[in-house]
Amino acid sequence: MVPRIVEVRKNILKKNDALAAELRERFRRAGVFVVSLVSSPGAGKTAFLEVTLRHLRERWRVGALVGDLATDNDARRLVRSGADVQQITTGTVCHLDADMVGRALEKWDLDAYDLLFIENVGNLVCPASYDLGENLRVVLMSVTEGEDKPLKYPTIFNTADLAVITKADLADAVEFRRDDAYANVRSVHPGIRVVETSTRWADGLAPWFRQLEQWLATEVRTPTAVRSTSRATLP
Ligand code: MG
Ligand code: ZN
């Protein structure tokens, strides 16, 4: 049985890769820079995205897609930022795929955006295997989750372009071992950049904004290298 299941999964991922490649081309033509956010549930993705949208809206035309299993709470929260936001309710599916993103964007005029964020369903496992056509994948982990998340979920950390540590304001309270966390992230993805953030501090997202603006300066106006779509790693 196992080989057949693996075969089916392979085909699903192959189809996803093809759709993701089409999306990536669509994004490139529209000149929209796409960032996906992945984390476990409760790591603070939505708070992070809300502050991010608010900040970027001053200078960029931004939109966001938000994946969630059942509720639209996150989308309603993000609308407060003033950015265009659309909910993707996945039902029982614990990740977004390229087809869901493509369908959600059917009615969007991508030319009207500089930046699009995609908040994935809270899950560190299968989002690793589904390319969404994004330019950058950001993985978030909060200081309250423990330092060994990267060791437990190496694939998502390995396929991410940036690791963001969230809720840094709680680091002392939970005796967060910063050096261990960094070492763990880099043991599964050597050289990856890591930034620490807090949505509770004034300018608590500054390190992230600096990193993002650096990327925008170098990448948005020039064609981005098409990232490998074969990131599929079967369990
Ligand atoms: Mg959320
Ligand atoms: Zn899933």
Side-chain angles (χ1 to χ4, degrees):
M1 285 308 283
V2 170
R4 203 182 72 83
I5 292 167
V6 169
E7 203 46 49
V8 170
R9 281 188 55 92
K10 263 190 199 153
N11 287 335
I12 290 170
L13 292 176
K14 228 163 122 184
K15 203 176 132 197
N16 185 77
D17 278 354
L19 287 172
E22 282 172 27
L23 271 179
R24 183 167 285 112
E25 177 57 20
R26 216 184 130 194
F27 294 147
R28 193 189 63 76
R29 275 202 222 127
V32 57
F33 191 75
V34 182
V35 179
S36 73
L37 305 178
V38 187
S39 78
S40 53
K45 274 193 307 302
T46 308
F48 178 87
L49 185 53
E50 186 180 350
V51 177
T52 297
L53 293 175
R54 232 179 257 276
H55 172 81
L56 293 174
R57 268 195 74 234
E58 295 165 13
R59 289 174 45 214
W60 304 89
R61 301 171 301 167
V62 289
L65 301 179
V66 193
D68 202 6
L69 292 169
T71 71
D72 65 352
N73 296 350
D74 287 358
R76 282 192 281 120
R77 196 164 140 197
L78 290 172
V79 163
R80 297 190 309 210
S81 70
D84 293 338
V85 177
Q86 193 183 332
Q87 173 79 36
I88 303 176
T89 305
T90 58
T92 56
V93 182
C94 54
H95 58 268
L96 292 178
D97 64 27
D99 182 51
M100 295 176 203
V101 171
R103 277 186 285 126
L105 291 174
E106 258 166 27
K107 288 176 224 119
W108 281 33
D109 173 17
L110 286 179
D111 290 322
Y113 297 91
D114 301 308
L115 270 156
L116 175 71
F117 288 88
I118 305 174
E119 180 184 331
N120 214 316
V121 178
N123 178 359
L124 287 174
V125 187
C126 28
S129 302
Y130 288 86
D131 185 359
L132 303 177
E134 71 269 56
N135 297 89
L136 288 180
R137 179 181 280 180
V138 175
V139 63
L140 294 83
M141 63 182 262
S142 66
V143 297
T144 56
E145 291 176 80
E147 298 80 7
D148 60 350
K149 273 278 151 82
L151 304 180
K152 289 181 179 165
Y153 305 98
T155 310
I156 193 68
F157 283 86
N158 185 257
T159 58
D161 301 287
L162 175 73
V164 173
I165 294 171
T166 58
K167 306 187 188 180
D169 53 289
L170 299 175
D172 290 342
V174 298
E175 296 179 9
F176 179 65
R177 297 191 308 276
R178 179 169 284 106
D179 292 349
D180 290 352
Y182 277 65
N184 289 341
V185 172
R186 288 181 172 141
S187 75
V188 297
H189 188 156
I192 189 175
R193 287 179 199 228
V194 183
V195 295
E196 285 176 50
T197 63
S198 167
T199 55
R200 299 252 179 128
W201 292 332
D203 293 327
L205 263 54
W208 149 243
F209 294 143
R210 269 197 299 277
Q211 179 62 68
L212 182 65
E213 272 155 25
Q214 232 179 62
W215 271 317
L216 288 170
T218 55
E219 296 201 37
V220 151
R221 291 172 193 87
T222 57
T224 46
V226 174
R227 79 154 65 210
S228 163
T229 54
S230 56
R231 59 170 59 170
T233 311
L234 295 166

